[in-house]
Amino acid sequence: MIKRELYMKKVRPFIDKDIIKVMTGIRRCGKSVMLKLIQQELFSMGRTKEQIFSLNFESQLLPFSRNIDAASIYLQSILQNTSSKMYLFFDEVQELPGWEKLINSLMIDFDVDIYITGSNAYLLSSELATYLSGRYTEIRMYPFSFSEGLEIEAGTQQSEADLFIKYITYGGMPFLYQYQLQGQEALQYLGDIFDSIILKDVTQRNQIRDVGMFKKVLLYFISGI
C-alpha cells in the first residue's frame, strides 16, 4: 500500500484527540485503504490489535442488522468489556441509518478514538456540522496525484514523460494502478465509476428525473473544460 503521506500528515495531529476523524471523497479514491494505513500508524505507536475495532457497513456479514439500536447494543457489549482506549474504524458509515446518533453516543459514553469514511455524495461538508455537532475534523481525499503515481511506478522502466501521458489519459484512481489497467479495460472501469457517481449518487440525491438529459448537459460541460 502506498503510504499517502499527504493525508497521514493531516490525521496525525488528531490521533487520540477527542474529535471524530472523517475521511470523505468520491467512490474508490482510497478511503478504506486510508483506514488501514491509520491502523498501521497506531501499531507503530505501540497500540495493540486488541485496541483496534473495524466495521465496514457495506458488508452483508455484519454481526447485527442495519438498525441503529442493534448496532448500539452490539458495540456497547464490546466496549463495556475493555479497560484500555479503543480505536474504532467505521467504513462507509452512511449505510447505517441514524449513524450520527451512534457515533455521538460512543464519543460521550466510552474512551474511544473514532475514524469514519463516507462517500461525499452522502456526507456533504455542510451536513457534517449538523450530524456531529462540531465534534469532528474532515479529511477530504482524492485519487492519486501525479507524484503519488510516480512513487507507485518507481520500479518500472517507463519514462516520466510516458507516465505523465498515462496519468492525464486515465487519471489517478487507485484501482488502475493496483492492477495496471490501460486501454479499453481502464476506460471501462472509469465509465463504471462515472455511472456510479454521476448517474446514481447525484441523480438520486437531487431527484433528477430526466437522467438522459442530465448526462448530455454534464458531458457538454466536461467537454468545455
Side-chain angles (χ1 to χ4, degrees):
M1 291 187 292
I2 184 172
K3 294 298 183 183
R4 309 217 75 177
E5 186 62 22
L6 172 66
Y7 300 107
M8 193 60 72
K9 286 180 180 178
K10 297 179 180 180
V11 173
R12 284 193 189 102
F14 297 101
I15 291 177
D16 282 330
K17 301 296 190 299
D18 189 23
I19 193 169
I20 301 159
K21 277 65 73 175
V22 185
M23 264 62 70
T24 62
I26 66 171
R27 290 174 182 264
R28 316 311 301 169
C29 73
K31 300 184 298 294
S32 299
V33 172
M34 191 66 203
L35 292 187
K36 295 179 181 178
L37 292 172
I38 296 171
Q39 292 174 29
Q40 290 182 358
E41 182 83 5
L42 291 172
F43 292 142
S44 71
M45 296 168 62
R47 308 304 186 271
T48 65
K49 289 185 177 181
E50 289 71 24
Q51 291 179 273
I52 307 295
F53 184 80
S54 180
L55 283 176
N56 186 332
F57 284 95
E58 284 189 319
S59 172
Q60 296 297 318
L61 301 177
L62 291 172
F64 52 84
S65 61
R66 278 193 175 83
N67 172 280
I68 188 69
D69 293 328
S72 180
I73 291 171
Y74 174 75
L75 288 169
Q76 286 181 33
S77 68
I78 292 175
L79 296 174
Q80 286 173 347
N81 295 321
T82 61
S83 57
S84 56
K85 188 182 189 76
M86 291 291 290
Y87 297 83
L88 307 181
F89 294 83
F90 299 139
D91 203 0
E92 299 297 345
V93 71
Q94 79 278 346
E95 295 295 329
L96 178 69
W99 63 268
E100 66 278 6
K101 297 177 182 178
L102 174 64
I103 298 298
N104 284 322
S105 174
L106 293 174
M107 285 288 291
I108 294 171
D109 297 332
F110 299 98
D111 184 16
V112 293
D113 193 18
I114 300 178
Y115 303 80
I116 68 176
T117 76
S119 168
N120 57 7
Y122 300 96
L123 295 185
L124 295 179
S125 299
S126 58
E127 296 173 345
L128 280 172
T130 301
Y131 287 149
L132 301 178
S133 307
R135 199 183 284 127
Y136 75 97
T137 185
E138 181 183 7
I139 294 94
R140 300 180 186 179
M141 294 192 64
Y142 300 92
F144 289 151
S145 65
F146 178 54
S147 62
E148 288 178 314
L150 288 178
E151 183 180 343
I152 296 169
E153 303 279 12
T156 68
Q157 301 301 315
Q158 300 178 77
S159 68
E160 189 168 308
D162 289 338
L163 292 173
F164 180 67
I165 295 298
K166 176 182 175 181
Y167 184 80
I168 63 173
T169 302
Y170 303 113
M173 297 302 284
F175 187 84
L176 300 180
Y177 287 84
Q178 182 180 358
Y179 293 103
Q180 291 295 311
L181 297 184
Q182 295 189 55
Q184 190 58 42
E185 292 177 338
L187 295 177
Q188 179 179 338
Y189 174 75
L190 293 172
D192 292 341
I193 292 292
F194 176 86
D195 288 341
S196 295
I197 295 171
I198 301 301
L199 304 182
K200 181 180 178 182
D201 294 342
V202 177
T203 55
Q204 286 184 0
R205 182 180 180 89
N206 296 281
Q207 298 181 336
I208 296 173
R209 294 190 296 272
D210 193 340
V211 177
M213 180 58 69
F214 172 70
K215 186 173 183 179
K216 290 179 180 178
V217 172
L218 180 66
L219 292 175
Y220 171 77
F221 281 117
I222 291 175
S223 68
I225 293 176

